[in-house]
Amino acid sequence: MSIAALDGVRVIELGAGISAAFCARVLADYGASVLKIEPPDGGDLVRHWGPFPGDTPHPEKSGTFLALNAGKRSITLDVGSPQGRELLFELLADADVLVENNPPARMRDWGLDYDALAGRFPRLIMVSITPFGQTGPYADWKGYDLNAFHLTAAGSRYCGAPDREPLEHGTFSADYYGGYVGATWALASLFAQDELGGEHLDVSCAEAIAASFTGCQNIGDFAQNGTIAKRTGVGMALAAPATILPCRDGHVWMMALETAQWKGLVHAMGDPEWARLELFDSMFTRAQNADLIYAMMTEWTAGLGKQEIMDLCQANGCPSTAVYTIGDAGSLAHLHERGYFARPEHPLLGQVRILGAPVHVPESPGGPASAAPLLGQHNSEIYRDRLGLDDTRLAALHARGIV
Amino acid sequence: MNARLPLAGIRVANFGWGWAGPVTGQTLSRLGAEVYKIESRARIDINRTIPPFAPGHHHDPDCALQNHAGWAGNGSITLDLKHPEAQALARDFVAHCDVVVENFSPGVMDRLGLGHARLAERRPQLVTVSMPAAGRSGPLSHVRTYGMSLSSITGLDSVTGYLDGPPVPMENAYADPLGGILGAFATVLALNWRKRNGRGMHVDCSQQEGVMQLMAPAFMDFVLNGRVARPLGNRHPLAAAAPHGVFRCAGEDRWIAIVVAEDTEWQALVQAMGAPEWSRDPQFAHHAGRVARIEELHRHLGAWTTSHDDRALAAQLQSAGVAATPVLDVGDLLSDPQFRARGTFFEFEHPLGFRETLYGNYVKTRKAAAPQRTGPMIGQDNDYVFRELLGLPAERYQRLVTERIIY
C-alpha cells in the first residue's frame, strides 16, 4: 500500500464555471481533500448548465457539474458577507490551496485578494484562474471562455475558413487549458510548500494559450519577418495529405507526410493508378495538387467506415486516424480496458459514468473517491464537526442567508 | 522575487521530441528544475530544421526560431543512442537525475536499455513519465498519430467546426503544448508521491486521456441522453449564453467575440447599440428567449458590428459591462496592451549574436520566477554533464567525441 500523491492536502475551491472546478477536480483525483464553496442561492452556476438527464433541468443533475466536481465536498457560504468571510477565514487557517476564478475586482471587494490573505495565511497557495489575469488593462474586463480563446489568435491563425469567422473548439478549451496550467503550478508549489511557504499563481487562460500554443510557433517569425499567418481551412496547407476527409460513417484525419507513410497509404488504398504519378512523390508537390489528391482520396474513403480506414492505414504504417465522435470515444474498449472511466455512486442518480483521472499513476489511487456533492451536502460536517458551530449559531446564519 | 523556485534541485533527463516533449521540459524548467534534452547530431531534431532561422544563420540547427520557443529552458547533451556505449552513458546520467521524460512509442525506451525498471535499479527514487499518444497499455497503445491529429481520437475534433457542418481541423497541434503541460503535471504529481512514499514510479501519461478531459460536457450528454455532439460554431457548448459568437467588424478579417450570459448584460448591450427596434423584442429580454432565437439574434448583432472597429467596439462594450473582446490575429499579439503589460513575450539577446522574440513565464508568481531563457544549442551542456557530473576523464571524453558516441 502506498500513500496517495496528495494525501493530507486541503484545497478550498471558490469559483464558478469550468476552470477552477476542473483544476480542483484533478487535485481531488489524486487524494487532495477538496471543499467546494458555493453561493447559497442556487450554488455553482454549472448546476444550471446541464446537460440534464432527459433535458429536464435539476440543480443536482447537471452532467457538467457531476463531471467537474466528483470527489469533492460542498458547503454553501456567502463569502460576500462579513460573517461569511470570517467562516471562510477559519477554513483557510488549515488549508494548503485556494483555487478561485472570480473577477479580480470581486475578490478585492470581498477582501479575499492575495494581498489581503497572504499576511494572515503565509502558507496558502492561491491559484487564480481568470480569462485575462490579475494585472494589465484587461484585468477588470468581463470575459468568458470564448473571449479568452479568441484573444490568443489561435482561432484566427488555425481554425476556420479564411473568409468566415475564426472558430474555437466546440468545448471550453480555454478554461480547461487554464485549469491544467493552474493545477500544474499548484502541484509544484505544494511540493515545496514546507520550505517556501505560500505563493500566488496568477493564471490567465488567454495568456497561457497565446504564449504556449499560438506564440510558440508564430511569434518569432512575426517579430523577425512580419509574417501574419492565417487559417486556411485545411489541416496543413504546405504538405499533404494532412486534413479531415469525409467517409461512409463520418470523418477521418488523413495524414501521410513522410515517404513511407505515403507509400503505406497508397498500399492501403489498393495501389490506385493515380497515386503512382511521380508528381505525388513528395508531400510538398502533393500539397500543390491538394484539390486533386483530396478528391481522389475521398472517392476511396467514401466507401469505407472510419474505423476500417484507420485500421487499414495504421497497419500499413500510415498514421491516419478516425475522427471519433464523443459516442465513439466514450465507448472505446481501449479506454474501458485502461480503467479511464469512473462510476461513483450519486445520491439521486445512482452510478453515473464520468471521465476518470487524466493521468494514470499506477501506485497512487487515481480518480474520484465519490460522486459530485449535493448543494451544501457537507454543511453539517464542516460547520458543526470541523468548526464547532452549535445549532443556534448555524440556524442564525441560515436565516440570514449566509449558509 | 527572487526566492528559490519550487523544483530547484530536481534534475530531469528529457528524451522527449516533437512539441509535447520539449514543453514538458520547458514547464519543469519554469518551475525550477534543471532539464537536459538528450539529442544527437546523427539525427538532428526536426524542430531544428524548420524555418524561420535567425538572419544570417540559415539552416543553422542552433538558430531555428520556433525550436527555441518550444525547447526554451531545456539544456542539451548529445548522445547517439544507437551505440551501446551511448546508452550506458545515458544510464549513468539518469543515475544522477530525479526524472526521465519520454514520448516515444511504447517499447522504444526498453529497446534502448532505458526502460524504467532498468533505470530504477540504480535509482529507485527515479520518476519516469512516459507520454505516448494513447498510453502504454490497451488495444490502441500502438496507434500512430501526429500531434495535430491526436485530438481526433478524443472526440475533440468532431465538435470543432461551423454549426451543422463537417469537422474543421485545428491546423496545429493544440494537444501538443497542452500535452506537454500535462506531462509536467504528471511529473510534479509523481514527485509529490515520491515525497510521501520515498520511492519513484513510472507514470503512464496518455495524451488521449489528458486531452479527452476537455470533452467532459459532451461526454456527459452522451452518457445521460445518448446524444452525440456535433459542431456548433462558436456557440456556447451548453446553450448557457446567447449571444455567444464571433462577429465581423470593419476591415479585413477583423472580428469581435461577444458573450451575453446574463439578462443585465443583454440590457447593457441593447443600450450600447442604441436600442434598435429588433432588440426591444420582449422575448430577447430573457435568456430562454435569446437562446431559442439565437440565429436571428446573431444575424442582427453581426449586421451591427460589421461597421465598427473591433478594438474600439470591444472597449465601448466593456465599459458598458458586456463581455466583448477583439479577435486577435498573430500580428496583434506583440502589440496587444494586455500581453505587453504582462510581459507575455520578450526579446532575447542570443549568444550567437541575434535578437529573437520568445514567450516567457505566462504564469505570474509573487515570490520566484524562472529566468528568461531560449532553447539550447546542440550539446551546450556536454562539458558540464559528462566531465563534471559524470566525472569522465579528459581522454575518455575526447575518445567518445571522436568516435561520435557523444555526438
Side-chain angles (χ1 to χ4, degrees), chain A residues 55 144 191 231 338 340, chain B residues 195 209 227 253 265 364:
Chain A
D55 296 326
Y144 298 93
F191 179 70
R231 63 200 178 279
R338 287 176 51 80
Y340 183 51
Chain B
K195 200 171 174 177
E209 290 168 15
R227 195 177 289 135
D253 201 28
E265 294 170 343
K364 308 305 184 232

Side-chain angles (χ1 to χ4, degrees), chain A residues 234-251:
Chain A
V234 295
M236 281 175 97
L238 297 178
T243 201
I244 294 174
L245 294 180
C247 65
R248 199 187 63 214
D249 59 354
H251 295 84

Side-chain angles (χ1 to χ4, degrees), chain A residues 151-339:
Chain A
L151 200 69
T152 70
S156 160
R157 172 66 184 89
Y158 290 128
C159 201
D163 56 341
R164 296 186 69 183
E165 70 273 22
L167 292 167
E168 184 182 359
H169 303 96
T171 187
F172 307 92
S173 67
D175 277 347
Y176 274 103
Y177 208 107
Y180 265 137
V181 167
T184 305
W185 261 253
L187 284 180
S189 287
L190 275 169
F191 179 70
Q193 191 188 25
D194 289 342
E195 299 85 49
L196 303 181
E199 176 61 285
H200 189 206
L201 305 169
D202 165 11
V203 179
S204 150
C205 299
E207 186 179 17
I209 298 169
S212 64
F213 179 54
T214 330
C216 185
Q217 300 200 348
N218 293 281
I219 211 68
D221 197 4
F222 171 72
Q224 180 178 295
N225 307 314
T227 312
I228 301 176
K230 296 276 178 85
R231 63 200 178 279
T232 68
V234 295
M236 281 175 97
L238 297 178
T243 201
I244 294 174
L245 294 180
C247 65
R248 199 187 63 214
D249 59 354
H251 295 84
V252 275
W253 232 113
M254 297 306 294
M255 186 69 103
L257 301 181
E258 296 165 21
T259 306
Q261 296 171 353
W262 170 248
K263 291 210 154 108
L265 174 61
V266 171
H267 189 250
M269 290 191 294
D271 210 11
E273 186 87 29
W274 65 266
R276 289 180 222 161
L277 285 177
E278 207 172 299
L279 183 64
F280 297 144
D281 281 356
S282 118
M283 63 181 177
F284 304 112
T285 53
R286 288 197 295 272
Q288 283 154 16
N289 298 280
D291 288 352
L292 184 61
I293 290 237
Y294 289 145
M296 300 306 281
M297 284 174 60
T298 305
E299 278 188 25
W300 177 67
T301 57
L304 299 170
K306 56 192 155 191
Q307 189 63 52
E308 213 173 340
I309 295 169
M310 174 170 167
D311 292 344
L312 260 172
C313 286
Q314 295 276 337
N316 282 284
C318 163
S320 297
T321 43
V323 176
Y324 287 146
T325 65
I326 193 58
D328 301 327
S331 312
L332 273 183
H334 173 74
L335 294 175
H336 278 287
E337 202 170 297
R338 287 176 51 80

Side-chain angles (χ1 to χ4, degrees), chain A residues 3 10 56 68 81 101 140 149 153 165-166 185 196 202 221 278-280 336 351 359 370:
Chain A
I3 304 166
R10 284 187 169 178
T56 309
L68 288 170
S81 68
N101 64 348
D140 291 325
F149 186 86
E165 70 273 22
W185 261 253
L196 303 181
D202 165 11
D221 197 4
E278 207 172 299
L279 183 64
F280 297 144
H336 278 287
Q351 284 197 352
V359 176
S370 56

Side-chain angles (χ1 to χ4, degrees), chain A residues 40 78 81-84 392-403:
Chain A
D78 174 11
S81 68
Q83 299 98 321
T392 323
R393 176 120 190 261
L394 205 47
L397 289 167
H398 196 265
R400 272 182 288 172
I402 292 162
V403 167

Side-chain angles (χ1 to χ4, degrees), chain B residues 91 177 180 208 371 390:
Chain B
R91 284 191 293 273
Q208 178 191 30
L390 300 190

